[in-house]
Amino acid sequence: MERVHNFSAGPSVLPVSVLEKAQKELLNFEGSGMSVMEMSHRSKVYMDIIAQTEATLREIMAIPNNYKVMFLQGGASMQFSMIPMNLSKNGIADYVNTGQWATKAIEEGSRYTKINLVASSEDKNFNYIPEFDKSKFSKDADFFHISQNNTIFGTRFTELPDTGNVPLVSDMSSNILSEVFDVSKFGMIYAGAQKNMGPAGVVVVIMREDLITGETLPNTPLMLNYKTHADNDSMYNTPPTFGIYLAGLVYKWVKELGGVAAMQKINEEKAALLYDYLDESSMFSATVGKKDRSLMNITYVTGNKDLDDKFVKEAEKAGMVNLKGYRSVGGMRASTYNALPIESVKALVEFMKKFEMENK
């Protein structure tokens, strides 16, 4: 069967060339006589895989040498606990609430440290990124946490807060590798793989080495101590081997395209195609103002729930799937992650034009 135009928010579309290579190597990886899923994670063959995966990620993100890269399990949600468990020293942390995942991070973080809510966009159902008042920043905060791209509400930070000596911690689950970031501006970056890097089951943590002290809150489990994983190169226990292998293929794919800068240009072009149409349409409208619009998750509505539902159903019949918006936002959401071809966005826009004409 033909592949659909997959606008899923996650797990999301993967590059066809990556899937084909994984398919080709599934039974016999590079003459080893076995699948990556079957080999020992301590074998030389697999050690080479994980080392090359890390090296390629370091290259395409220009990760400085004083940062550790860890491939962990538990998803980004596990990090909501691990971060305060490992970084709490003064017992206070600054958070910005820009959506559901930020809310969950705050709720979980409050179990381990005092939360100072610096800013929130909850008053307008998270349809914007709030301005920052530096007088509200905690001078003795252990870290400053943001969710950099908001999958559900379609917003993103276009400017980073200036946190001074306080480590900036960013959840980049839905925008990592989508645009160029200066890693040195962050104390820590973490991202679930299932949107822009590979299948569900892997979370990447990029962390400045001086923050990995091993000094955690009392009773922190060994497996939730970053030093456990940093000291063992993500191999303290059996890592998610196949997921890491696939992530490595995605990193190589990004590199071959020209790197993250080239990927950013493609993403900006894809987003512009859809946003430009939304801004001129008399039926559809974007739910986020221009300043804070996500490149990865584009949310829009008709203003009529029945018409929204009709659009989603007819789009699916036309081969465009996973366009239904999250229940707290409604309407539609087109997730245009790195691996979504520009042809899919063009097909969606053409379908939207046709739908608008037929449903005036």
Side-chain angles (χ1 to χ4, degrees):
M1 87 183 258
E2 290 186 10
R3 285 176 62 81
V4 296
H5 299 290
N6 183 5
F7 294 93
S8 173
S12 61
V13 61
L14 286 166
V16 170
S17 61
V18 166
L19 294 174
E20 288 175 339
K21 184 169 179 58
Q23 181 185 50
K24 182 179 179 181
E25 296 177 337
L26 187 63
L27 294 179
N28 184 358
F29 176 78
E30 293 189 354
S32 65
M34 68 185 90
S35 168
V36 172
M37 289 184 284
E38 300 172 295
M39 63 181 57
S40 167
H41 62 294
R42 303 290 181 187
S43 67
K44 183 183 184 305
V45 177
Y46 189 77
M47 294 292 280
D48 288 344
I49 290 173
I50 194 170
Q52 185 58 57
T53 298
E54 178 180 337
T56 309
L57 180 61
R58 283 185 175 277
E59 181 180 355
I60 61 177
M61 287 189 69
I63 300 173
N65 291 333
N66 64 322
Y67 282 71
K68 280 283 189 179
V69 174
M70 291 170 270
F71 299 99
L72 308 181
Q73 294 159 305
S77 295
M78 182 68 81
Q79 302 306 306
F80 299 163
S81 306
M82 287 183 72
I83 290 162
M85 283 180 169
N86 283 263
L87 299 185
S88 292
K89 302 293 185 294
N90 298 320
I92 187 168
D94 288 351
Y95 279 74
V96 180
N97 192 3
T98 51
Q100 176 168 310
W101 298 110
T103 299
K104 288 186 174 184
I106 290 166
E107 290 174 350
E108 183 63 14
S110 66
R111 292 162 55 90
Y112 306 101
T113 191
K114 179 181 177 182
I115 300 295
N116 174 39
L117 186 60
V118 170
S120 173
S121 54
E122 188 174 8
D123 61 323
K124 294 184 179 179
N125 198 32
F126 302 114
N127 69 355
Y128 71 103
I129 299 294
E131 298 291 329
F132 298 109
D133 179 355
K134 290 196 71 172
S135 68
K136 294 184 178 180
F137 293 15
S138 304
K139 293 181 180 178
D140 58 348
D142 293 310
F143 58 91
F144 190 116
H145 183 280
I146 62 172
S147 296
Q148 202 160 345
N149 184 82
N150 298 287
T151 319
I152 292 172
F153 298 95
T155 62
R156 91 185 200 274
F157 282 74
T158 54
E159 295 181 10
L160 296 175
D162 180 3
T163 61
N165 293 325
V166 175
L168 180 61
V169 174
S170 178
D171 180 352
M172 283 195 192
S173 292
S174 54
N175 71 323
I176 194 166
L177 304 182
S178 68
E179 54 185 304
V180 176
F181 297 108
D182 181 351
V183 175
S184 69
K185 292 184 180 297
F186 300 87
M188 174 183 168
I189 293 167
Y190 66 99
Q194 67 272 15
K195 301 177 188 293
N196 255 351
M197 295 190 291
V202 183
V203 60
V204 173
V205 172
I206 302 165
M207 195 168 189
R208 211 172 64 214
E209 288 181 349
D210 63 289
L211 299 177
I212 309 172
T213 64
E215 298 174 4
T216 63
L217 293 180
N219 301 316
T220 295
L222 182 69
M223 287 297 291
L224 300 187
N225 187 328
Y226 288 119
K227 199 170 192 309
T228 300
H229 304 286
D231 287 353
N232 290 279
D233 297 321
S234 304
M235 302 283 278
Y236 178 81
N237 66 325
T238 305
T241 54
F242 196 72
I244 292 169
Y245 154 74
L246 276 175
L249 295 183
V250 172
Y251 300 158
K252 289 177 183 177
W253 173 77
V254 172
K255 179 180 176 180
E256 289 165 1
L257 279 176
V260 177
M263 194 80 257
Q264 179 175 340
K265 290 181 180 179
I266 296 169
N267 287 330
E268 289 171 343
E269 183 179 356
K270 288 190 295 186
L273 280 170
L274 186 46
Y275 282 127
D276 287 350
Y277 170 67
L278 291 172
D279 289 340
E280 68 182 29
S281 171
S282 58
M283 174 179 286
F284 300 99
S285 59
T287 63
V288 177
K290 291 184 178 182
K291 176 180 175 293
D292 300 323
R293 288 176 175 175
S294 171
L295 293 178
M296 297 284 95
N297 309 100
I298 300 173
T299 53
Y300 56 100
V301 295
T302 65
N304 181 306
K305 185 180 183 302
D306 291 337
L307 199 57
D308 289 348
D309 291 342
K310 181 181 180 182
F311 173 82
V312 171
K313 289 177 182 177
E314 292 191 8
E316 185 167 353
K317 290 178 182 177
M320 282 161 272
V321 302
N322 296 311
L323 283 167
K324 185 176 177 62
Y326 196 78
R327 58 182 178 272
S328 59
V329 181
M332 285 70 67
R333 171 178 55 179
S335 294
T336 55
Y337 295 124
N338 284 357
L340 184 80
I342 195 168
E343 290 74 21
S344 291
V345 180
K346 290 177 179 177
L348 175 60
V349 171
E350 289 306 309
F351 177 80
M352 291 171 72
K353 289 178 179 178
K354 178 174 178 288
F355 184 87
E356 183 170 352
M357 287 184 61
E358 293 174 349
N359 292 273
K360 286 183 178 179

